[in-house]
Amino acid sequence: MKSNKTSAFLIAAPKSNSGKTMISLALMKTLVNRGITVQPFKCGPDYIDPMYHTKIAGRTSYNLDSWMASEEHVRSVFEKNIPASGVAVVEGVMGLFDGAQKDKGSSANIARLLNIPVILVVDAASMAYSAAPLLFGFKNFDKNIRVAGVIFNKVSGESHYRFLKEAAEDAGVAPLGYLPRDERLSVKSRHLGLHLPNENNQELFTTAAELVAKHIDIDRLLELTAKTEKTAPANPPTQDKKLAIALAHDEAFNFSYAANIDAMEQLGTVTRFSPVHDKTIPAADLLWLPGGYPELFARQLAENTTMQQSINEFIEQGKMVIAECGGMMYLGKEIIDESGKREAMCGVFNISTSFENKKLHLGYRQINRDDFELKGHEFHYSNLIQYEPSSINIEVKNARGIPVEMPVLRYKNCWASYMHIYLGEEGKLEQFLAKNFGEDWQKNRH
């Protein structure tokens, strides 16, 4: 049944690994099954959860990150994309108040900024009435955040839920139901965020949605989170679309922020292509190689020598290239897997990326150069070997302003690093191109 109203809420939790992603996806699927339009969002810099959101909701999921972008931009992205009637579901990140510095960039920060209620997900596997002080604390810690309801996860049954329901009521938080402890979920949920949504995991979400429909009061949830009005954001200024942009997008390269793609489409025509399957890149002024899993498709990428040659020729012609993380790996000499097997890549940079002694590199990153601030996120397990320092000296810092080691590579008009950069804010992509490619950007602009 379709709703004529709009609801909006943020799914948060006291800590990570409480079940936010599972419950967010199951709620989205349940609402879609009811014929309700669902617009998904994701707090923070994650690239994989939004892919699941988009697959289930049928609408592009947008990141809402108040560290990588301004508060005005975050509001604009949210208001521009919420449906006139339907439900906006924002999946939080980590614990409700966990941010880059205190709660900066946290789920709480986003809830305050957008003035939307929070639905808490509490892992109740080893908890009963002790949920009351936990919920009371989260409800009252920040009076600018409205904790409207709670969904309990990993509940052993109705008798267990009765204790939890009483705890929620005594804490002043509406109990909305629960997701039971179920082996069909616990076995597979470990893989969320590791495998991509086009793989065979739809049965998992169908099962979770069935459990949500049975044990969670969806009508009460929508009633508690109804929005009174939708504020129409100002339309961005129109620009002459003269830039031809080739965006790598396939099973190996798919970590693109939705707002980055919007920014590309403001500047020109975006053509998607596959470094795995296509023979050459499409005609373009700008080539964008995003992150992804090139290591899983290293053999196919190595065998596609005509694509590698096409990319090398493009770069030698002095055309503009942005390569993020997996895109940078592809432009190196080779990728080495965990067993030591080597596959030849494009060879633009004299680097190799290896998974033999893999180590997690994770965190926000910022670069300040010539009065231009670039922000993004680093997340990878590979290491650079045979690395020779770049010809440009760029200092990279984390969210606390502490210098970190993250090379930025440059060859002709090719810019590459491990950072997934966020250029979705109005005018940011233009500024990046102007600062890094100067006269060549101006040539392509006119």
Side-chain angles (χ1 to χ4, degrees):
M1 73 186 163
K2 290 200 174 185
S3 169
N4 294 320
K5 297 179 180 179
T6 300
S7 291
F9 54 87
L10 188 149
I11 298 287
K15 62 182 181 65
S16 294
N17 299 316
S18 296
K20 291 190 305 293
T21 298
M22 176 66 71
I23 287 176
S24 295
L25 293 170
L27 281 172
M28 289 178 199
K29 189 165 183 65
T30 303
L31 293 166
V32 167
N33 289 346
R34 284 189 170 203
I36 296 172
T37 300
V38 174
Q39 174 57 55
F41 299 91
K42 172 65 182 178
C43 292
D46 184 83
Y47 346 99
I48 298 179
D49 286 349
M51 295 168 69
Y52 280 94
H53 296 175
T54 299
K55 180 81 172 178
I56 288 175
R59 290 169 68 101
T60 300
S61 179
Y62 282 82
N63 292 78
L64 303 173
D65 193 303
S66 55
W67 187 87
M68 293 197 301
S70 69
E71 293 186 347
E72 292 76 14
H73 172 74
V74 171
R75 281 196 203 96
S76 174
V77 167
F78 182 73
E79 294 293 349
K80 183 173 68 175
N81 288 287
I82 60 174
S85 64
V87 182
V89 180
V90 183
E91 182 189 342
V93 59
M94 299 188 293
L96 177 57
F97 294 98
D98 297 329
Q101 283 185 288
K102 292 191 175 181
D103 71 350
K104 175 65 176 174
S106 68
S107 302
N109 192 177
I110 297 297
R112 280 195 305 265
L113 181 60
L114 302 179
N115 192 27
I116 57 173
V118 170
I119 304 298
L120 275 179
V121 172
V122 172
D123 181 344
S126 302
M127 183 183 294
Y129 192 70
S130 291
L134 173 72
L135 291 172
F136 185 84
F138 273 84
K139 177 181 174 61
N140 293 285
F141 179 75
D142 185 338
K143 294 297 186 182
N144 293 312
I145 293 173
R146 181 163 69 94
V147 178
V150 58
I151 295 171
F152 294 100
N153 191 25
K154 298 181 182 177
V155 176
S156 61
E158 281 294 330
S159 60
H160 183 195
Y161 179 61
R162 279 195 291 273
F163 284 102
L164 298 167
K165 183 179 179 182
E166 290 171 348
E169 290 169 343
D170 287 355
V173 178
L176 297 173
Y178 67 94
L179 204 61
R181 187 181 296 154
D182 191 305
E183 284 302 313
R184 292 172 297 171
L185 304 182
S186 61
V187 172
K188 297 179 183 179
S189 66
R190 291 177 300 150
H191 302 301
L192 280 179
L194 297 178
H195 296 301
L196 298 182
N198 57 354
E199 298 178 24
N200 187 25
N201 47 30
Q202 296 310 300
E203 180 185 346
L204 168 65
F205 307 126
T206 299
T207 300
E210 289 171 355
L211 293 171
V212 161
K214 181 178 180 180
H215 296 289
I216 294 177
D217 189 341
I218 299 294
D219 293 329
R220 179 66 173 146
L221 168 64
L222 297 181
E223 177 188 336
L224 287 170
T225 60
K227 263 181 80 69
T228 55
E229 60 180 334
K230 178 185 176 187
T231 306
N235 291 322
T238 58
Q239 305 183 35
D240 293 333
K241 293 191 172 185
K242 294 186 177 178
L243 207 63
I245 303 169
L247 173 66
H249 184 82
D250 60 13
E251 57 267 44
F253 303 97
N254 43 37
F255 291 173
S256 294
Y257 290 125
N260 282 358
I261 297 176
D262 287 352
M264 294 181 218
E265 291 175 341
Q266 284 290 317
L267 289 184
T269 302
V270 179
T271 303
R272 291 166 174 80
F273 75 100
S274 169
V276 174
H277 302 290
D278 295 334
K279 295 300 182 186
T280 61
I281 62 173
D285 305 306
L286 169 65
L287 169 62
W288 196 312
L289 298 169
Y293 290 125
E295 67 274 16
L296 300 182
F297 303 92
R299 181 181 57 79
Q300 295 97 311
L301 291 168
E303 291 175 351
N304 194 352
T305 56
T306 60
M307 175 59 73
Q308 292 188 13
Q309 181 181 349
S310 173
I311 288 174
N312 274 281
E313 289 173 355
F314 185 92
I315 292 171
E316 289 300 331
Q317 290 168 10
K319 293 192 174 182
M320 300 179 291
V321 180
I322 298 172
E324 310 168 273
C325 197
M328 179 199 71
M329 294 164 60
Y330 180 50
L331 294 183
K333 288 196 309 182
E334 59 189 358
I335 291 177
I336 306 168
D337 69 14
E338 294 180 61
S339 68
K341 185 178 181 182
R342 298 168 182 259
E343 297 288 359
M345 297 293 115
C346 295
V348 175
F349 297 108
N350 186 31
I351 60 170
S352 298
T353 45
S354 173
F355 290 84
E356 287 182 290
N357 299 297
K358 61 184 183 180
K359 175 186 174 185
L360 177 61
H361 304 261
L362 171 68
Y364 284 119
R365 301 291 180 254
Q366 57 184 325
I367 295 171
N368 290 282
R369 184 166 176 255
D370 300 332
D371 299 321
F372 177 71
E373 183 179 66
L374 178 66
K375 288 187 172 183
H377 188 252
E378 184 178 12
F379 184 95
H380 60 93
Y381 286 92
S382 64
N383 296 298
L384 282 186
I385 60 175
Q386 299 179 12
Y387 162 65
E388 295 177 2
S390 155
S391 59
I392 51 176
N393 183 24
I394 295 180
E395 185 177 51
V396 182
K397 296 181 178 180
N398 65 16
R400 293 181 173 270
I402 299 170
V404 293
E405 184 179 347
M406 190 201 75
V408 176
L409 307 177
R410 183 72 185 263
Y411 174 71
K412 293 196 172 184
N413 276 332
C414 178
W415 191 99
S417 81
Y418 263 126
M419 182 163 66
H420 297 261
I421 55 180
Y422 191 88
L423 295 171
E425 197 153 358
E426 183 65 37
K428 199 77 173 180
L429 176 55
E430 284 183 282
Q431 292 175 46
F432 178 86
L433 296 175
K435 285 287 184 183
N436 286 280
F437 306 129
E439 292 181 2
D440 294 292
W441 152 242
Q442 294 296 335
K443 267 191 309 187
N444 287 304
R445 191 181 182 190
H446 298 293

